[in-house]
Every structure is written in C-alpha cells, then in structure tokens.
Amino acid sequence: MEYNVLDFGAVGNGSADDTAAIQAAVDACGGAGGGRVVLPGGRVFRSGALVLRSHLELHLEMGAVLKGADQLERYRLFGGAAPKRMEVPSYENCAYTGAPSHFFLYARDCEDLAITGPGRIDGNEEIFYGEATPWHIEGAFYPRAPMLYLENVSQLTIREVTLARSAFWTVHLVGCRDVLIDGIRILNNRRMANCDGIDPDHCRNVRIANCHIECADDCIVFKNTAAAMGYGPCENITVTNCTLTSSSAAIKFGSESEDVFRNILVENCVISRSNRGISLQLRDGGTVENVSFHNLVIETRLFHRDSFWGSAEPIAITVLRREEGARLGAVHDVQFSHILCTAENGLLLYAEEPGAISGVTFDSVSLRLRRATDGEAGFHDLRPCAGPTSTERRLCYVYERNAGAVFRNCAFQAEGEMARLLDGSPPGGGRRPPC
C-alpha cells in the first residue's frame, strides 16, 4: 500500500515545514504492517529529523527533493545539550566514538527497510559550516548530523537515490546485516570536512555496487567504532563497479579500528582525482585480514597538504597508535592484483613496530609517477598518530618501514620531474621493489 505524504498534510513548496506530515505518513505505514511512503516528484520537502520504521520503503519520485531544515535544533532527535564549537580543526583531532548527537534520517532495531527512487536527499550543508578556506570547510561542531544513520537494521536496501550536500557521514550503517546499496549517487562538497560517503560500521553481509561517489573525506570507509563494539566485526563485504573521487581516500579501513575487518573484496572500480586511492589506516588496535583488491584503476594527485589526510598515495597501509599507550593493530593476508596506478606519490607501507604488516601481496600492479600539481612531492602523511605526522621528504616507488610485502609481475616508471626526484635508496627510506 502507498502512503503519499501530501495526503498527510505535506506541502512540498521548499519552505514549509513538512516534518510532522512526513513522519505521520511513516508512522501510518509502519503501524499498518508496512508499505511504501511516497514523496511525489516536482516538489521540495523541508524536514528535520525523521524516524523510519520496519517493513517500509521510503520512495522519492523523479524530481522529488527531501531537504534538511535550516534550524540546527531540528536535528537533535533525542534532545540533550548542544555540542560545543570545535576548538581545533578536525584534521588535527577528530577521534570519534561513532555516537552522533544530531540526525537527519534515523532508524534503529528495524528489519526490511528500503530507501529508493530517482529523487534526491539534500543535507543542507551550509547550516553546519565553521571556518572556510579555499581548500577546506570545517564544521561548526563535531560530530555533526549523518544524513542516514541506520543502526541494527537487517535486510536493508538503498537503491538509485541521489544523496547530496551532506555535512557529515552520508550513510552511516551501524551493526547492520544483509545490506544492499545499488546504483546510488553521493555528490558532496569536496571541501566539506568529514562528509564521508558510505560507512559500514561493525556491519556484515554488505553489497555495494554500481555507485558514483564524490566527497570529502572518504568515499567508502569501513569502521569499527568504540560505541558499537557489541555488534562484532566488520565482515563479509563486497564493493564492485563503482566510480569514486575523494579529497582523502576513495576506499579506507579505519581510522576507527576497535575490532576486526575481514573477508572483504573490492573489485572493478575506478578511482580518480583523489588524494589517496586505498588506505588501510589502523589507529585503535584491531586487525585487517583476508582482504582482496582486484581489477582497479587508481589516479591520485596532491591536495592541500594540511587540510585532508593523504599525500597522493595510490595505496597506503599504516599501523600506528592514535595515542601513546594505545593498542597496536595488525594487517595480514591482503592482496592487491591487476591494479593500474597513476599517481603523484608512491606506495606506503608503514608500521610502528615490526610484524604489524605481513602477508601483503602485490600481483600485476603497475605504478606510473607523474606530475599533476605543483605540490611538494615525496612526503607521506601519517595522521592521525601519536608520533611524527609525516615521513621525511623522499620520493620513491615504495616507502616501507617495519613491513614486508611480496611483489610479483609489477611495473614501475616515473615521468619527467618525477624521474629526477626519485630516490632509489634501500629500505629504511624508500626502495625500488624487486619486480
């Protein structure tokens, strides 16, 4: 059965507050055992936080826009004190437990939930702005409102919809199971800090396919946050046939890494105009194991050095402590195969202690170093961490510390100025892999 929000009093003129009407349609649908809640095309519906229900499809028709309200208090679904304004930029200190204080679309303890349709959800990013520069827009506070915060949801589908202008994590999935995300677009401001694309957090049995994502920071990022430890590992996940552009990393593991990431496959994706391609970034203990990256094209370039993590590494594996005395994680049994990289920096494998990175294989991986910007090439970004925030400047094909990797059938070349800057020194700094 369909529940048209206009029949519950929604106006959809771009200025009226339609929160109560949309929520009434959702509640009626859920109370009747399920169905489809429809936002009809050609209208802009303004809303604060909404709570979704089980056995429900929220469908946005072509030309329908669900846009966030202009008042920050409309996102404080559960009340409480408003968060304080940020004292330092998020790229200096953004440790996050995974428990936000603001929400836009929210669901918890649900099953059989879908968000579909060719319409658009607009996060109204401007109302969350803090300090802005030509390279970076900081949020006014942290954490801000995820566009979709879905916790302990099983049989979840997100299909076709466009998600745009989020001011924080766009799709935060917490402890979700049996998830399909197919054919969506995420179009965020590439200057807006922390507006990740899809964040599976302690999730399992997830399929992400046929998506186009542009955002800052990371496009698809696997998390194991402290607040959601009861849900177990992040595991059994596939990512395929996606196009990704990021101001930080297109595919990332971490930096919140309190549990295990395992049995994850990323294949047949194109990464372009990104600050990093793939980043395995453990900072809170945890492990990455049984992970495969296959048949990828990666293109990276240097961004503003301070504003976003990363230094144009096509692949970066780092295992460091976020704070002194914290647990150290581990990466093992990870394979990179049939990957074409064009980048303004080399590969990075960097661990705080020997043995933290092991069993890593590069098979049929090619790397072409080429100049794309006038940035300082050769530094590798180590943030966030307790120690030095970057390596010394040394351009090389592979920068390796306390890490072992096997290279098979790999090809490395450098063009123009990059060839002149290249450092072929032995391990301890950079090295030319034995391929």
Side-chain angles (χ1 to χ4, degrees), residues 386-408:
T389 58
S390 73
T391 65
E392 73 276 18
R393 185 179 184 185
R394 180 174 290 171
L395 182 65
C396 44
Y397 291 124
V398 178
Y399 193 108
E400 183 177 316
R401 177 180 175 182
N402 292 330
V406 174
F407 293 85
R408 301 192 189 101

Side-chain angles (χ1 to χ4, degrees), residues 84-95 130-131 136-144 193-194 306-307 309:
K84 297 180 180 179
R85 297 188 68 86
M86 297 182 66
E87 297 181 358
V88 298
S90 59
Y91 53 78
E92 291 184 12
N93 182 12
C94 67
E131 182 180 354
H136 179 264
I137 300 172
E138 191 57 84
F141 56 93
Y142 185 98
R144 297 178 292 283
N194 317 121
D306 294 330
S307 300
W309 295 343

Side-chain angles (χ1 to χ4, degrees), residues 68 107 169 298 343 400 413:
W169 298 4
I298 299 174
E400 183 177 316
Q413 61 177 311

Side-chain angles (χ1 to χ4, degrees), residues 3 19-20 22-37 49-58 77-78 105-115 149-157:
Y3 297 78
T19 309
I22 298 171
Q23 189 65 64
V26 167
D27 293 344
C29 181
R36 171 185 273 196
V37 175
L50 296 167
V51 180
L52 305 181
R53 310 295 187 193
S54 292
H55 312 298
L56 181 146
E57 177 186 358
L58 179 66
L77 186 62
F78 303 108
L105 299 184
Y106 175 92
R108 183 172 182 175
D109 303 333
C110 293
E111 63 179 359
D112 192 21
L113 173 64
I115 300 170
Y149 183 91
L150 309 173
E151 181 175 353
N152 192 28
V153 177
S154 62
Q155 301 176 42
L156 169 66
T157 300

